[in-house]
Amino acid sequence: MVHWTAEEKQLITGLWGKVNVEECGAEALARLLIVYPWTQRFFDNFGNLSSPTAIIGNPKVRAHGKKVLTSFGEAIKNLDNLKGTYSKLSELHCDKLHVDPENFRLLGDILIVVLAAHFTKDFTPACQAVWQKLVGLVAHALARKYH
Amino acid sequence: MVLSAADKSNVKAVFGKIGGQVEEYGAETLERMFITYPQTKTYFPHFDLGKGSAQVKGHGKKVAAALVEAANHIDDIAGALSKLSDLHAQKLRVDPVNFKLLGQCFLVVVAAHNPAVLTPEVHASLDKFLCAVGTVLTAKYR
């Protein structure tokens, strides 16, 4: 059973309120594909991923990044029920998409770096700790239905 | 995993940009690591880990100096950190998983202080470099 203090929830929702989901999502996914190039294996149909510039400018990467981060937003609305929120998506990532759950952890780490770059000193150590906890729990929830 | 010429150049440029602040970055990296990953505190039962701790600052300086040394000898990180590698294998025996955690926190510190420097390409190079350092420090473990 996940436990969030009121302060932790505030650190999450307070920051999330200032996030441009489309931009942040696009950047996070692009950086995932650039920093950990083996993650490109899931996106053969995305077209040109041949260079960092191509990846950053790729409209499918942008669109998918937005989709992924929008889903994150759902988690933030349901912090007390991450398992339920991600149940169907977990099945999808296992049965249809065949994504190694390690990739969820990689994306989570990338998202943290993107948030740090965006919010700079406002991304305090306390903030980082809570967000690292959140991305870890999201990764766990997405892996939960794997079999 | 191999550091390309571009990676090496990117890493040197980052440390050039950070300059003398690298010691503060080291301290902040540790501070963030202890808060974000409390299990890492188990390696420092003898430290005062409270905010502003002089011991954490001092240790952060050491960690930063090692990273700088590795960056300055990026063609032979194993050689540059050989003594540190022995120390970690024989005495400190920090579980290998923790180097990744330290690396993540260092990236966050660089991002928070120098977002403009951390382009996606530089982010990739720095991440690879930090992995390489972790690999060297755990290379003699068994």
Side-chain angles (χ1 to χ4, degrees), chain B residues 39-51:
Chain B
Q39 66 271 26
T40 57
K41 294 190 292 184
T42 58
Y43 292 96
F44 299 92
H46 53 302
F47 266 28
D48 161 25
L49 297 177
K51 192 151 172 57

Side-chain angles (χ1 to χ4, degrees), chain B:
Chain B
M1 177 202 47
V2 170
L3 293 175
S4 68
D7 288 327
K8 293 176 184 180
S9 165
N10 284 340
V11 170
K12 283 177 180 291
V14 169
F15 280 91
K17 207 81 211 281
I18 295 171
Q21 292 180 291
V22 75
E23 291 177 355
E24 284 165 42
Y25 283 31
E28 190 178 333
T29 296
L30 292 180
E31 185 198 354
R32 285 179 182 268
M33 188 184 72
F34 293 139
I35 291 170
T36 306
Y37 308 109
Q39 66 271 26
T40 57
K41 294 190 292 184
T42 58
Y43 292 96
F44 299 92
H46 53 302
F47 266 28
D48 161 25
L49 297 177
K51 192 151 172 57
S53 156
Q55 284 177 306
V56 174
K57 285 203 170 91
H59 198 67
K61 244 177 108 164
K62 273 194 202 170
V63 170
L67 290 177
V68 168
E69 184 73 0
N72 287 340
H73 296 89
I74 205 164
D75 289 323
D76 183 18
I77 298 175
L81 300 186
S82 178
K83 289 219 159 35
L84 257 186
S85 181
D86 291 338
L87 182 74
H88 282 78
Q90 292 155 19
K91 189 154 175 283
L92 304 176
R93 291 168 295 182
V94 172
D95 191 283
V97 71
N98 294 286
F99 296 96
K100 230 186 158 240
L101 305 182
L102 181 78
Q104 168 72 357
C105 290
F106 186 76
L107 277 173
V108 168
V109 171
V110 173
H113 289 275
N114 284 284
V117 163
L118 206 70
T119 62
E121 293 91 327
V122 170
H123 180 169
S125 298
L126 195 54
D127 192 79
K128 281 172 80 173
F129 167 74
L130 293 165
C131 278
V133 169
T135 299
V136 163
L137 291 178
T138 57
K140 302 176 195 175
Y141 271 31
R142 56 177 170 172

Side-chain angles (χ1 to χ4, degrees), chain A residues 95-117:
Chain A
D95 300 331
K96 293 265 153 34
L97 304 177
H98 311 295
V99 176
D100 179 348
E102 179 59 21
N103 292 285
F104 310 140
R105 289 178 261 286
L106 292 179
L107 180 62
D109 280 353
I110 293 276
L111 179 61
I112 298 291
V113 174
V114 169
L115 291 175

Side-chain angles (χ1 to χ4, degrees), chain A residues 9-85:
Chain A
K9 286 189 177 182
Q10 173 50 35
L11 282 171
I12 292 169
T13 56
L15 200 88
W16 189 250
K18 300 177 205 159
V19 168
N20 179 322
V21 171
E22 181 165 358
E23 286 304 322
C24 187
E27 185 167 0
L29 188 63
R31 281 181 185 252
L32 178 75
L33 299 173
I34 292 165
V35 177
Y36 307 115
W38 54 93
T39 58
Q40 292 170 25
R41 68 190 297 284
F42 301 108
F43 303 104
D44 279 343
N45 62 332
F46 268 30
N48 187 5
L49 298 178
S50 60
S51 71
T53 313
I55 291 170
I56 293 163
N58 184 310
K60 286 189 173 176
V61 171
R62 288 193 69 86
H64 196 67
K66 179 182 174 184
K67 196 176 181 181
V68 169
L69 214 65
T70 301
S71 160
F72 222 86
E74 282 309 299
I76 290 174
K77 289 188 205 150
N78 292 284
L79 287 173
D80 295 323
N81 184 23
L82 292 176
K83 287 179 195 159
T85 305

